[in-house]
Amino acid sequence: MDSITQSRHDENLQRVQTLGSVKLRHEDNKEIILIPTPSDDPNDPLNWSKPFKVYLMLLTCLILILANFLAVGPSVTIIETTIDLLHATPPIPSVPQTLAPASIAAFTSAVTKMSYVFSGMALMQGFSNLIWMPLIVKYGRRPVYIFSWLGYTIFAVVASRAYNWSILLGSRIVLGFFPGTAECMAPLTIADLTFLHQRGVMMALYAVALGSGGSIGSVIDGALSTTTDWRAIYYLGAGLSGFVTILIFFTFPETAYNRLAAPMKSRVSDGLPEKLEKETNTSINATHVEVEQHVIPPKKSFAQNLKITNGILTQESMFTIFLRPLAMFVLPPVFWATIMLGLHVGFYVVIGNTVATSFTQNYHFSTLQVGLLWFAVIIGSLIGLPLAGWWTDWVADLLTRRNHGIREPEMRLPAMILGMLVAPGGILLYGLGIGYKLHWAAPAFGLLLFSVALAVNGNIAMVYTIDAYRPVAGEVVVTQMGLKAGFAFLLGFYANKWILNVGYPGTFGAQTGIIFVVAACWLPLYVWGKRIRHATFKWSIMSIMRWELDREIGE
């Protein structure tokens, strides 16, 4: 091993051992240090032009919106779909026999059965990431994007032609397998294109786009229901996903990049201060400079960027990549972040499964009005965008300055205090508003508040773990998305039964307490999180999770 290779080897070992602790600002002039360090290669995604990176980010957001467009959107017409495919009769005041207890119970049972069509897709959407992630890590983002969105387009057409409940359920479960790639791949794409200090804002866009996709679909589906049937949303979804597939194929190059082999004319790596040296038990030079002779590769042509795959990106086995998300769940930071995200999305699914029936029965809303109600979620998400992005970055940067320029992943956590209060308030207002039949604006405002918290809390929880375990960020995201899907499915499965047993106030009152307690756990993590990360890194299960050096990306 020559001196340069040995130096890089030692440097990467140091990065592994710091577990998210990086020097982000110079101590003297407080200027931002670019992490990861961009190379001299024009093909390095960090060196791509700003307009092109903005375009790719916008396309990524569109992909995220469409990922939930058909997952949640069609739930607005759950009553119409139940009537059409299960031939159930809803309570109609002008038809006395439909108001009999047996008739109402039969219709309620049919609506519950139809809700499995939506919760089943949500479950598959999350757990499909266990299959997709090894392929993404091994072979890159581009081939998986192309294949998954082609499949999404095809099965959207299949779902639109379903003529009974079984076919709709089966086609939606398969349909859910494909857009799961967007949930786990978008954070990787963001990390490929941006620097560490930009990640909070970009991940906020991720959270808002992911959360608003279903709402946009619900608004559009509600509008379509006035002139056509429930199948129209699938036709529209198929057309949009087909258009996105074309954009991906012709304009979305591979964003994964091997920084270990990147050409560097001169690389200056500021070492971590003595404080970090002692905490991580590593020997890090104050300043390390390496000079290399190299040839800068030419910029890839348009045709070269259209290659489906760029070969194998890591020497890790597919089995190791597949197993790592399951093992990482036991790490306290990942465990907490996963529960946080799972509860927020799970309660969101409960709300989504009850909006149509509760507002139809209590406030006599039409399908169009139910669809328009989802504007509250869209508005809440837009309000949450600066809070999830700028606010969390500002808090983390303030604490970084006070820590002599050293960024710790836990420095984002104090921003949780806002979402910790807003999320329980939103859930409680929604449940009490419907349970006590307050003006419809009360539960609608509760829905808006919860959407704000979903953007803030979901973003903080995810970025915290990505910062802490950046080389295996994909597996971290899979852990959260997979378990999130499990929560969403179980809560969606039992939502109607839960409400029938204890009512809206009891159901959403319990959810309020649960989410407050879990969110408040950011406090002990902020105090002891770093020590926990380093202590748990020594656990025997970490032998499964240790990553190869070719997974390092310069953070």
Side-chain angles (χ1 to χ4, degrees), residues 34 37-50 52-53 192-193 195 257 259 262-264 296 299:
L34 295 181
T37 306
S39 70
D40 294 326
D41 186 354
N43 302 302
D44 182 349
L46 293 177
N47 293 330
W48 291 347
S49 69
K50 185 176 181 179
F52 185 55
K53 288 200 282 188
D192 291 340
L193 297 173
F195 298 102
Y257 184 75
R259 301 206 168 276
M264 301 282 187
I296 299 177
K299 187 174 182 179

Side-chain angles (χ1 to χ4, degrees), residues 14-24 35 196 199 272 276 280 400 406-411 463-471 530 533-534 537 547 552 555:
Q14 291 162 7
R15 291 199 188 103
V16 168
Q17 292 169 340
T18 58
L19 288 178
S21 302
V22 297
K23 186 168 185 180
L24 192 58
I35 304 294
L196 176 60
R199 197 165 297 156
L272 301 176
L276 182 60
T280 59
T400 300
I406 303 300
R407 166 66 61 85
E408 301 290 352
E410 286 78 16
M411 291 177 181
V463 178
Y464 167 50
T465 51
I466 288 176
D467 286 351
Y469 305 100
R470 174 61 186 93
K530 182 174 181 177
R533 280 186 288 116
H534 286 279
F537 191 75
W547 48 88
E552 285 292 338
E555 296 183 25

